[in-house]
């Protein structure tokens, strides 16, 4: 709501944006310790699974995919925040994006790092994950390139590396500036990370050009990654998975949850790092409008998906449909609809109600709703296969629940550490746009 | 010899640049140092690059290379496919796409380092000491015998 930063000098802006880097507060330290404890508990749970075997999880015939795959799909979805906000807005030269891009790009990288862990955790024998890599070996075996598991690996590897570079490139000038302003070991690290940046017009030109091309590439990769995740389901002939719209449905859901995550992180940073001079109501309002649009798109896709299954009236599809809409998963299903549509539609759609706290409430609801949606896609279908006699029930074990909690803590932890290493708003981008 | 001048106003910088170019200094012998990108009118100090072309070529090279490798690997150790073709482009289409995009990323990074002249000593070193973050420093390599003429251009 304030535009104070625009009346500041470049030096003052730098000082404000770099202030959080030089001091560690008590609440920050407490939050890091809490997150570390939860991540540690998740690490212990995983170690139990590694030593005892997959039997300690709730995964039983016929539900071989459980919370691990739910979390995988959820976190890949969250990663779309950075891609959408940063890449699209970069390509369209939308000036308002500048204070938002780094926040969004960091969400992408961290959530992908977390998502990438789940296929490995899900393997059971995690230490054999490298069998997916096509390397010459003494058994003359190659991975099955036709397998969706291999698709996942290549898609995520490309997306993680592209996202990491997409985040890193605009940080190079900031690293050079931080090297000048710090001393000792810190300065050496920042100097190494700045790759000898001198800030001449050739380097600026190369940076801007690279970011433009990257934006185009990363947009295509992001859409493909979530489509591949959807193909993991849609390529099977399981009830309510074998759908032609699964890929765009997943992409739309991913963008939806990604924007919600971005709003939440921005609000948290604005409050804790006192960035209200940089993250204005305009940014929240614009993202809120995007969220409202995606909320309607999500409803459209969900309605199309369920209506088609219901109208087809195939007995196997109807078994899953009924289980979700009016059976044992009905409370979850209707909670999802309320969280993903009714709450955001009212709180953001009614202009008088739209403000930062209601946007945060909507975002929390959407994240919850989208996690439930992922759960409802994975579990009821596997519990109810074509052969009724083969049906079963899935109850997640403490190991899966602890690992799930650990990933949320890991996300917060990564963000807390990141906020102390790099200015959370790209200093040069902000100056370029706001100070002219 | 290298001459440098610091500007706070963009129009003054553009005038100096134009005068330098008209006096025969090539774009290769000029460098601008700033804390943020400087946007200049076309023709004044263009830095043509081939980043798009390099990224497309790298994308094609990696895409075609990995596709060939996949096809070779599938024939090298043929899986039992129940009468379906051993080598088929459709089921590996996703992998081809991702690797091609990976190639584009590699191409962008390569061109970024080459075009930005990273990891090598710059011909024109950045000015030493603290400087105003809102200013732009123009440095140019000029012939020693015309030093006074160029000094006058930069300080006008």
């Amino acid at each position: 709501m304030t535009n104070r930063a625009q009346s500041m000098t470049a030096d003052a802006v730098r000082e404000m944006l770099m202030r959080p880097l030089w001091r560690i507060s008590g609440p920050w330290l407490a939050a890091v310790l809490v997150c570390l404890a939860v991540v540690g508990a998740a690490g212990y749970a995983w170690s139990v699974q590694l030593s005892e075997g997959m039997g300690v999880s709730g995964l039983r015939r016929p539900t071989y995919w459980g919370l691990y795959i739910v979390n995988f799909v959820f976190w890949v979805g969250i990663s779309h925040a950075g891609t959408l906000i940063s890449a699209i807005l970069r390509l369209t030269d939308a000036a308002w994006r500048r204070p938002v891009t780094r926040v969004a790009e960091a969400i992408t990288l961290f959530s992908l790092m977390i998502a990438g862990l789940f296929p490995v955790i899900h393997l059971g024998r995690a230490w054999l994950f490298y069998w997916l890599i096509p390397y010459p070996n003494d058994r003359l075996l190659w991975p099955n390139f036709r397998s969706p598991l291999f698709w996942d690996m290549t898609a995520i590897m490309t997306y993680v590396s592209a996202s990491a570079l997409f985040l890193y490139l605009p940080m190079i000038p900031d690293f050079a500036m931080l090297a000048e302003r710090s001393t000792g070991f810190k300065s050496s690290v920042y100097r190494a990370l700045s790759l000898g940046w001198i800030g001449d017009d050739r380097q600026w030109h190369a940076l801007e050009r690279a970011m433009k091309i990257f934006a185009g590439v990363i947009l295509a990769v992001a859409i493909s990654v979530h489509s591949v995740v959807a193909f993991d389901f849609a390529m099977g002939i399981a009830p309510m998975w074998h759908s032609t719209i699964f890929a765009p449905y997943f992409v739309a859901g991913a963008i939806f949850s990604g924007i919600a995550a971005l709003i939440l992180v921005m609000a948290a940073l604005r409050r804790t790092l006192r960035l209200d001079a940089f993250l204005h109501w305009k940014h929240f309002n614009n993202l809120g409008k995007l969220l409202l649009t995606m909320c309607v798109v999500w409803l459209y896709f969900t309605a199309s998906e369920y209506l088609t299954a219901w109208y087809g009236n195939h007995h196997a599809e109807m078994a899953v449909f009924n289980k979700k809409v009016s059976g044992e998963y009905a409370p979850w299903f209707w909670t999802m609809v309320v969280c993903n549509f009714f709450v955001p539609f009212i709180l953001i759609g009614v202009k008088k109600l739209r403000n930062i706290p209601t946007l945060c409430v909507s975002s929390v609801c959407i994240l919850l709703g989208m996690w439930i949606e992922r759960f409802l896609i994975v579990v009821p279908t596997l519990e109810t296969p074509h052969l009724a006699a083969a049906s079963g029930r899935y109850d997640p074990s403490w190991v899966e629940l602890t690992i799930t909690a650990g990933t949320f803590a890991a996300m917060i932890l990564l963000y807390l550490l990141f906020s102390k290493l790099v200015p959370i708003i790209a200093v040069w981008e902000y100056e370029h746009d706001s100070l002219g | 010899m290298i001459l440098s001048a610091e500007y706070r106003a963009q129009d003054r910088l553009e005038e100096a640049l134009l005068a330098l170019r008209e006096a025969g200094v090539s774009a290769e012998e000029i460098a601008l140092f700033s804390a943020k990108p400087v946007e200049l009118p076309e023709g004044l100090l263009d830095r043509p690059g081939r980043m798009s072309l390099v990224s497309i070529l790298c994308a094609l090279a990696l895409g075609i290379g990995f596709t060939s490798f996949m096809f070779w690997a599938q024939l090298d150790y043929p899986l039992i496919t129940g009468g379906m073709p051993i080598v088929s482009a459709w089921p590996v289409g996703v992998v081809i796409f991702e690797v091609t995009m990976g190639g584009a990323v590699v191409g962008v990074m390569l061109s970024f380092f080459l075009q930005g002249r990273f990891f090598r000593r710059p011909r024109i070193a950045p000015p030493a000491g603290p400087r105003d973050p809102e200013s732009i420093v123009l440095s140019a390599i000029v012939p020693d015998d015309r030093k006074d003429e160029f000094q006058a251009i930069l300080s006008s």
Side-chain angles (χ1 to χ4, degrees):
Chain A
M1 291 168 215
T2 163
N3 233 5
R4 190 153 44 96
Q6 278 174 339
S7 57
M8 289 179 190
T9 60
D11 257 334
V13 166
R14 284 171 179 216
E15 197 51 46
M16 270 190 89
L17 289 175
M18 287 195 282
R19 193 180 47 201
L21 305 184
W22 313 128
R23 61 160 186 245
I24 289 176
S25 63
W28 182 87
L29 203 59
V32 167
L33 290 175
V34 170
C35 289
L36 271 176
V38 182
V39 171
Y44 170 72
W46 191 18
S47 74
V48 169
Q49 182 179 291
L50 286 173
S51 59
E52 304 288 323
M54 289 299 278
V56 297
S57 72
L59 300 171
R60 301 277 185 278
R61 188 181 61 79
T63 316
Y64 289 119
W65 288 3
L67 286 198
Y68 297 148
I69 301 300
V70 171
N71 289 327
F72 168 65
V73 181
F74 176 78
W75 285 112
V76 170
I78 298 295
S79 75
H80 277 54
T83 321
L84 175 91
I85 298 306
S86 186
I88 293 184
L89 299 182
R90 224 177 252 282
L91 281 173
T92 53
D93 262 339
W96 67 271
R97 75 180 155 82
R98 293 191 196 267
V100 178
T101 46
R102 186 166 293 165
V103 181
E105 287 158 11
I107 293 179
T108 296
L109 181 64
F110 299 151
S111 53
L112 269 178
M113 284 161 63
I114 292 168
L117 272 178
F118 281 104
V120 178
I121 296 173
H122 185 75
L123 284 176
R125 297 177 187 183
W127 57 92
L128 297 179
F129 80 95
Y130 67 92
W131 282 9
L132 273 170
I133 300 164
Y135 67 99
N137 57 78
D138 49 11
R139 290 178 303 156
L140 300 172
L141 274 169
W142 298 104
N144 182 3
F145 298 104
R146 299 154 179 251
S147 161
L149 189 58
F150 192 79
W151 298 358
D152 278 338
M153 193 199 75
T154 46
I156 288 179
M157 292 295 280
T158 309
Y159 195 23
V160 166
S161 22
S163 303
L165 294 170
F166 195 56
L167 173 68
Y168 176 64
L169 282 186
M171 287 201 298
I172 294 175
D174 285 355
F175 282 139
M177 189 180 59
L178 286 165
E180 276 174 23
R181 294 190 170 218
S182 51
T183 51
F185 176 69
K186 239 179 170 177
S187 174
S188 312
V189 172
Y190 284 132
R191 200 167 299 284
L193 287 169
S194 71
L195 307 176
W197 175 269
I198 54 171
D200 70 357
D201 58 301
R202 274 189 191 81
Q203 292 186 334
W204 282 118
H205 188 263
L207 178 64
E208 292 211 300
R209 187 89 195 106
M211 289 309 289
K212 273 266 189 246
I213 300 175
F214 247 121
V217 171
I218 211 164
L219 203 58
V221 173
I223 291 172
S224 78
V225 168
H226 220 62
S227 300
V228 169
V229 173
F231 292 159
D232 288 345
F233 298 91
M235 295 296 168
I237 47 169
M240 289 201 80
W241 280 4
H242 196 54
S243 160
T244 53
I245 64 160
F246 241 40
Y249 181 32
F250 268 51
V251 173
I255 293 170
F256 188 33
S257 56
I259 298 170
L262 179 59
I263 290 177
L264 217 51
V265 171
M266 275 172 52
L269 291 172
R270 185 179 193 258
R271 195 178 167 86
T272 53
L273 303 181
R274 297 187 192 136
L275 295 176
D276 44 342
F278 302 94
L279 295 170
H280 308 146
W281 166 241
K282 175 181 74 179
H283 302 115
F284 286 92
N285 194 29
N286 287 349
L287 287 172
K289 286 175 191 167
L290 269 177
L291 199 62
L292 186 64
T293 311
M294 292 316 297
C295 163
V296 179
V297 171
W298 176 86
L299 185 77
Y300 166 67
F301 270 111
T302 306
S304 305
E305 191 58 24
Y306 282 77
L307 181 68
T308 317
W310 174 78
Y311 200 82
N313 202 26
H314 185 273
H315 65 92
E317 297 249 322
M318 284 311 290
V320 180
F321 180 93
N322 288 331
K323 200 168 195 169
K324 288 190 200 180
V325 175
S326 52
E328 64 176 290
Y329 287 110
W332 293 99
F333 179 83
W334 293 109
T335 305
M336 171 190 80
V337 174
V338 169
C339 285
N340 280 354
F341 182 71
F342 289 106
V343 174
F345 194 77
I346 294 167
L347 290 185
I348 308 173
V350 180
K351 206 175 173 184
K352 277 188 182 169
L353 295 176
R354 196 190 310 150
N355 52 41
I356 293 176
T358 56
L359 278 172
C360 289
V361 170
S362 304
S363 299
V364 170
C365 284
I366 289 164
L367 290 179
L368 179 68
M370 286 309 294
W371 193 89
I372 295 172
E373 191 212 48
R374 302 329 190 179
F375 184 86
L376 289 176
I377 286 172
V378 176
V379 174
T381 293
L382 288 171
E383 280 185 348
T384 326
H386 283 284
L387 191 63
S391 53
R393 195 183 150 71
Y394 169 70
D395 291 303
S397 72
W398 71 270
V399 171
E400 291 163 285
L401 291 170
T402 313
I403 290 176
T404 302
T407 60
F408 282 89
M411 180 73 188
I412 299 170
L413 181 64
L414 285 169
Y415 232 103
L416 286 169
L417 298 176
F418 183 71
S419 67
K420 290 290 165 199
L421 296 173
V422 185
I424 209 74
I425 292 172
V427 179
W428 68 269
E429 282 203 276
Y430 189 83
E431 286 176 0
H432 181 45
D433 180 53
S434 307
L435 306 175
Chain B
M1 73 173 306
I2 297 174
L3 289 182
S4 294
E6 192 169 358
Y7 297 90
R8 286 188 129 257
Q10 171 102 9
D11 51 347
R12 297 285 308 280
L13 169 80
E14 287 175 14
E15 281 166 19
L17 264 175
L18 190 64
L20 274 180
R21 298 300 305 276
E22 281 171 353
V25 181
S26 71
E28 199 54 29
E29 287 161 336
I30 298 174
L32 299 179
F33 297 94
S34 56
K36 56 196 173 205
V38 181
E39 282 159 26
L40 295 169
E42 210 171 317
L44 204 53
L45 194 65
D46 294 344
R47 301 289 187 202
R50 295 202 162 80
M51 199 176 276
S52 311
L53 181 68
V54 173
S55 66
I56 290 170
L57 290 178
C58 281
L60 288 175
L62 213 66
I64 294 170
F66 199 79
T67 307
S68 313
F69 165 72
M70 274 193 297
F71 284 12
W72 170 79
Q74 288 178 70
L75 291 168
D76 185 48
Y77 194 97
L79 293 173
I80 296 163
T81 55
M84 297 297 279
I86 290 169
V87 170
S88 167
W90 282 106
V92 291
V94 170
V95 181
I96 295 173
F97 175 80
E98 299 299 343
V99 174
T100 306
M101 288 293 144
V105 170
V106 172
V108 173
M109 288 310 290
L110 277 176
S111 327
F112 171 70
F113 289 132
L114 289 173
Q115 206 174 306
R117 299 189 178 175
F118 284 86
F119 310 121
R120 55 176 151 156
R121 190 185 293 273
R123 267 187 86 196
I124 304 175
R131 49 174 215 263
D132 180 354
E134 288 176 72
S135 71
I136 302 163
V137 174
L138 189 161
S139 297
I141 302 174
V142 297
D144 288 358
D145 53 338
R146 293 171 67 193
K147 179 186 145 195
D148 294 338
E149 178 194 343
F150 287 111
Q151 245 172 359
I153 289 175
L154 293 181
S155 56
S156 63

